[in-house]
Amino acid sequence: MAEDGGNKGKQERKEVKGAFMPLVSVVIPAYNCSRTLGKAIDSALAQDIPLEVLVLDDCGAESLAEIIEGYRVNPAVRYVKNERNLGACASRNIGVEMAKGKYVAFLDADDWWEKGKLQKQLQRIQETGTVLCTTARELVTPDGRLTGRVIPVTEKITYRQMLRGNCINCSAVLLRRETAQEFPMCHEDSHEDYIAWLKILKKYGEACAVNEPLLKYRLSSSGKSGNKLKSAGMTFKVYRYMGFGIVKSVGCFLGYACHGLGKYAGAHLRGLRKGEKNGRS
């Protein structure tokens, strides 16, 4: 059964000579996600800006026909089924090419957004003149329960900072469409989104962020980041795909590893302090 959601009604949109002109195109790769897809789509439609939602069905074992049928009457929702399974990376690229909006936002089918996310990001992009904006995120259990654990972001993210690890979550990103077209995602055997963000920041200098948990990010042991050792190996591949030599790749990887250990130690220490506080209360 699909998770709750009922925002299938009217979608505000800008009309120019009778044509729907979205400001943002939301790209959702969909693969075996019948339980969660409705919630993702509804959270996009709940944003208070003119947008379109592009659902790319990547030929999973689960049928999405029943879910999509509920949105047939909404012209803001466009559904395309790939001829064969292509993966999330290629599906996002297809969505970018289909996009009509000035901006593109990515949203995985098992995540969802808070209301006002895109409006706040558009404001930050206008204030900073950057081409990409991300947000903080709150972690959610696989069955959809909020954990209260928030992963923050700095309001300015530089290329040098990103070399130590990917602090930009794909489902939190809003970027200019021409930038997404300039740097399509590739190398799905690694972290393809991380490669794209590095290339964008290398050219444009920095990204901006809204340090609010406007993305609800669902944890999954089957995802790329679920296996930490595998994820680390894929991160090393990122540096190699960026064209770095072995020495620079190893140096970046060590920085990434140290940064990760620092975050883990900090979280562990906060947990101990919380336990001590609870024990005294």
Side-chain angles (χ1 to χ4, degrees):
M1 179 179 294
E3 289 196 357
D4 59 313
N7 189 28
K8 301 174 185 177
K10 296 181 180 179
Q11 166 68 23
E12 180 184 358
R13 54 193 187 276
K14 180 180 178 182
E15 300 289 341
V16 178
K17 295 182 180 180
F20 176 28
M21 298 296 290
L23 178 60
V24 176
S25 297
V26 181
V27 177
I28 304 180
Y31 180 79
N32 289 342
C33 57
S34 59
R35 187 175 62 88
T36 61
L37 178 60
K39 191 175 185 71
I41 295 174
D42 288 346
S43 75
L45 293 176
Q47 302 299 307
D48 51 355
I49 61 170
L51 55 74
E52 64 176 351
V53 179
L54 308 176
V55 179
L56 286 303
D57 186 340
D58 201 26
C59 303
E62 298 177 2
S63 172
L64 303 180
E66 183 178 348
I67 306 300
I68 296 301
E69 187 61 32
Y71 299 93
R72 294 287 186 189
V73 297
N74 194 328
V77 179
R78 299 165 63 192
Y79 169 77
V80 173
K81 186 169 184 176
N82 296 338
E83 293 183 359
R84 57 184 176 84
N85 177 254
L86 300 174
C89 174
S91 295
R92 291 191 191 107
N93 291 340
I94 292 172
V96 169
E97 292 306 313
M98 290 174 53
K100 298 178 180 178
K102 181 178 180 180
Y103 298 91
V104 169
F106 297 113
L107 177 60
D108 286 349
D110 55 352
D111 300 332
W112 72 92
W113 293 334
E114 287 284 342
K115 290 184 179 180
K117 171 189 179 286
L118 296 181
Q119 185 62 55
K120 291 180 179 182
Q121 288 184 287
L122 287 167
Q123 182 176 346
R124 283 289 293 153
I125 286 177
Q126 291 166 1
E127 291 171 350
T128 61
T130 52
V131 300
L132 186 153
C133 183
T134 187
T135 75
R137 65 190 187 273
E138 179 178 359
L139 303 184
V140 178
T141 63
D143 61 357
R145 290 178 291 110
L146 301 177
T147 66
R149 182 184 172 193
V150 173
I151 308 298
V153 288
T154 57
E155 293 193 349
K156 182 175 75 173
I157 301 171
T158 65
Y159 174 71
R160 182 179 293 274
Q161 178 183 347
M162 282 287 287
L163 288 176
R164 295 182 299 170
N166 186 11
C167 58
I168 299 177
N169 185 275
C170 192
S171 286
V173 164
L174 175 72
L175 75 164
R176 290 185 179 273
R177 182 184 62 184
E178 60 264 29
T179 306
Q181 291 173 324
E182 183 181 4
F183 298 101
M185 294 187 187
C186 57
H187 303 302
E188 196 160 4
D189 61 328
S190 64
H191 297 299
E192 70 280 353
D193 57 334
Y194 186 16
I195 296 173
W197 316 148
L198 281 172
K199 289 179 178 178
I200 290 170
L201 267 63
K202 185 176 182 180
K203 177 174 181 177
Y204 292 101
E206 62 184 47
C208 65
V210 179
N211 191 24
E212 298 177 32
L214 302 174
L215 165 65
K216 305 307 178 183
Y217 176 77
R218 195 184 303 259
L219 297 168
S220 172
S221 59
S222 61
K224 287 186 176 182
S225 300
N227 185 319
K228 296 302 181 184
L229 185 60
K230 180 180 179 181
S231 180
M234 294 168 74
T235 297
F236 184 78
K237 283 185 178 181
V238 166
Y239 303 131
R240 297 295 285 152
Y241 283 137
M242 283 295 295
F244 300 167
I246 288 293
V247 173
K248 185 173 181 179
S249 295
V250 169
C252 289
F253 183 80
L254 290 175
Y256 149 81
C258 291
H259 182 65
L261 287 172
K263 287 197 302 182
Y264 175 82
H268 182 63
L269 182 59
R270 287 193 295 272
L272 290 176
R273 288 173 176 171
K274 184 177 180 180
E276 290 173 357
K277 182 178 178 180
N278 291 340
R280 292 195 299 269
S281 60

